[in-house]
Amino acid sequence: MDLATKPGTATPGGDAPKTAGDVSRQPQEIDGFQLVIDALKLNGIDTIYALPGIPITDLTRRSQAEGIRVLAFRHEQNAGYAASIAGFLTQKPGICLTVSAPGFLNGLNALAHATVNCFPMILISGSSEREIVDLQQGDYEEMDQLAIAKPVAKAAYRVLHADDIGVGIARAIRAAVSGRPGGVYLDLPAKLFAQSIDAEAGRKTLIKVVDPAPKQIPAPEAVKRALDLLKSAKRPLIVLGKGAAYAQADADIKTLVEKSGIPYLPMSMAKGLVPDTHEQCASAARSFVLPGADVVMLIGARLNWLLSHGKGKTWGGKSAKDWGGQKFIQVDISPQEADSNVRIDAPVVGDIGSCVSALLAGMGGSWAKPPAEWLSAVIEKKESNVAKMAETLAKNPSPMNFHSALNVVRDIIKANPEAILVNEGANALDFTRSIVDMYKPRKRIDVGTWGIMGVGMGYCVAAAVTTKQQVIAVEGDSAFGFSGMEVETICRYNLPVCVVVMNNNGVYKGTDVDPTGRDPAPTVFVKGARYEKLMEAFGGVGVVAATPAELRSAIEEAIRSGKPTLINAVIDENAGTESGRITSLNPAAAKKKS
Ligand code: ADP
Ligand code: TZD
Ligand code: MG
């Protein structure tokens, strides 16, 4: 089918000829709206996460009329997070569409999030009139959006002429998905949408991007260097990061892990890339394998704060700045990543699919497993920690705590391994990550590199739409508040999303008080809040669950019915700890240490 102007498809607001008589007398024209839609469709973009308004309302309408799925949100930040995670899940850039200045700024947070997390996303924002913006004459929603987006985007472009739309969209797609993926900003001024050019000539300006994320083959000597180092290891460890999950090289990664026999540690969003229940999984022995390992192979994981920068006590160093003495292999698409925190002895630069298959080829048929003492020490540590956790999980305290509630979620995910688990909060995040095993790749999506609150409902929408699977969101009550209004969006599109709000009456805990007695403490909320009524308000199912049994039957029913459901899981308000697992990052704790 011809993707550019089709007779009879022009909608009000476009500049296409109105009658057959016009068509015979005038050359056919195509407007900016249509060129944007055609360029997106030509490149396989089938979904847009949006919030309409001047100047992009007609772009949302006409995109929908042309078969693109347009999901309209209640706040651009949530549309943006949805687009970012759609990029992670599909390897296609997730598109977020917003209005100018305030809408753009609301979407900007997600653009930065996409860049920081290496997710491919394009934020497309309408903008006001250039001449007025540049002279700062006070236009409607005036803002120099391109300049503001640049520092947080991987790339940022503005298109001023309709015949540049094809190039603008092609560049945005390439920048988002090639190399290290990231967030791209595309500025489309209001005037552009109304510009009309000759349809025939306009169509010729569109570009179908060929090979948008080209393979990057690692150098043979880099692969050999890495394998030689791995071979020499007495206590090797593999760390899988979300870059490895993104790469969709699932079978080869599992083969690499199994062929090498090396214990592996999945980062949060890499859980399930190889099942958490695999005998080589060392998650339950994390604090043993990190300082204990002598050679560590990082696959799509950065040595940032989440891995204590590769040094300090976590890695067996004597103090916070000391290196632990490990040698590192780093498999990553970014040639600049190596040596960012500690020395990387064997960088392997390339896309993970190509790197892992080259490593596998280099390993050949007879690869010696790591020394038995190391493997048995890891297993021993792991078994004792798993046994301790099992004891805690078996308890059934009243009121319910994080463990007894998450024991239920753990069983449910085991029985429904295809379900997507969305997770945010502090304790609600940390406990879920350590208690709920994942069995399949890209099934766990969470707060990511920044530990950001607010991704929850946007992620739920995008996960349901792109995967068509059941979504289960485990949300701290604070975390949920950041995007809670999108339960209307979930109901409107009737998505199979079950939100479990871990309601402990506040941020970390619900027990703080204002010492002056005037106000509620900054960390606490209305006690006994009825979050489930929010879902009921829009026609979804709301349930209060005060016991693990109630929680279990409510989630099972949500999965059975596929209906939008919100379960208010009443958790002991004393149960959490300050900042969950990252208490040590609080300035007061850091002060005590120094
Ligand atoms: P985690 O938080 O799980 O540790 P990070 O976000 O820190 O993961 O690291 C992801 C890494 O993966 C980034 O350094 C990024 O460059 C890399 N990466 C992303 N996609 C690919 C890919 N297709 N091939 C190789 N490396 C990739
Ligand atoms: N704002 C944003 C955008 N991100 C953040 N991470 C924070 C604020 C600070 N913050 C955390 O790091 S966790 C958290 C906040 C506000 C909420 C924790 O409360 P919760 O979870 O109810 O979601 P628990 O289970 O009560 O710990
Ligand atoms: Mg809470």
Side-chain angles (χ1 to χ4, degrees), residues 357-424:
S357 79
L359 287 163
L360 276 174
M363 284 166 83
S366 58
W367 182 267
K369 303 264 173 211
E373 309 92 269
W374 172 238
L375 297 182
S376 54
V378 175
I379 286 177
E380 199 178 306
K381 190 75 200 165
K382 179 174 143 175
E383 282 174 353
S384 95
N385 284 345
V386 168
K388 263 188 240 158
M389 177 61 95
E391 259 174 51
T392 316
L393 291 178
K395 289 184 189 146
N396 193 359
S398 178
M400 186 158 68
N401 65 8
F402 286 100
H403 290 88
S404 57
L406 289 168
N407 190 35
V408 171
V409 179
R410 175 186 162 95
D411 289 347
I412 302 255
I413 293 290
K414 188 174 183 187
N416 300 276
E418 292 297 339
I420 308 268
L421 181 66
V422 173
N423 191 200
E424 60 177 339

Side-chain angles (χ1 to χ4, degrees), residues 242 267 286 302-309 448-450:
K242 61 178 163 326
M267 299 301 286
R286 188 178 198 270
R302 289 170 285 187
L303 282 176
N304 57 16
W305 71 281
L306 289 157
L307 281 169
S308 307
H309 305 283
T449 304
W450 265 345

